[in-house]
Amino acid sequence: MCTPATATTELGLTDKNHECACGSGDHASASSDAVEAGTAGTIREHYLVEGMTCGHCVSSVTEELSAIDGVESVSVELEPGGVSRIMLVSSEPVPAEKVRTAVSEAGYSLVSV
């Protein structure tokens, strides 16, 4: 079972090096919901993923998305069994097809908006 370092609503599950041993095989879906300009050339892109249930799901998706060139960080707002929000922070726009492929490799698909 995943135990966050501190009790927060983010569950401490945004670290790409997080390892979870829960072994959940329950995987589903995600899609671009917004793109916003950040500070000093950073871009924040939001996607939706349906069906993530635990830290293992978050870790799998985060690992795949973090491997995309230009991605500086990945944040996940886990909504167990519902629609979770993912935010990518990058120095340039990340093509949606690369995000779709990475999410698919983690066992999910982008939610259609």
Side-chain angles (χ1 to χ4, degrees):
M1 177 169 194
C2 297
T3 305
T6 59
T8 66
T9 57
E10 289 189 29
L11 303 177
L13 300 175
T14 59
D15 181 355
K16 71 179 182 181
N17 295 317
H18 174 75
E19 293 293 325
C20 178
C22 70
S24 173
D26 205 16
H27 296 91
S29 316
S31 164
S32 181
D33 149 93
V35 175
E36 58 187 74
T39 58
T42 60
I43 296 171
R44 289 175 174 79
E45 298 175 279
H46 299 271
Y47 296 87
L48 299 175
V49 179
E50 190 172 67
M52 292 176 24
T53 59
C54 67
H56 176 73
C57 300
V58 171
S59 181
S60 296
V61 171
T62 299
E63 181 179 341
E64 293 295 335
L65 292 172
S66 295
I68 298 173
D69 288 338
V71 172
E72 296 173 1
S73 68
V74 177
S75 298
V76 178
E77 291 178 30
L78 179 63
E79 188 65 42
V83 177
S84 300
R85 178 180 295 265
I86 295 175
M87 181 177 69
L88 297 182
V89 177
S90 60
S91 55
E92 57 188 54
V94 175
E97 193 53 41
K98 284 189 176 186
V99 174
R100 183 178 311 281
T101 298
V103 170
S104 177
E105 288 177 9
Y108 298 86
S109 59
L110 293 177
V111 172
S112 298
V113 180

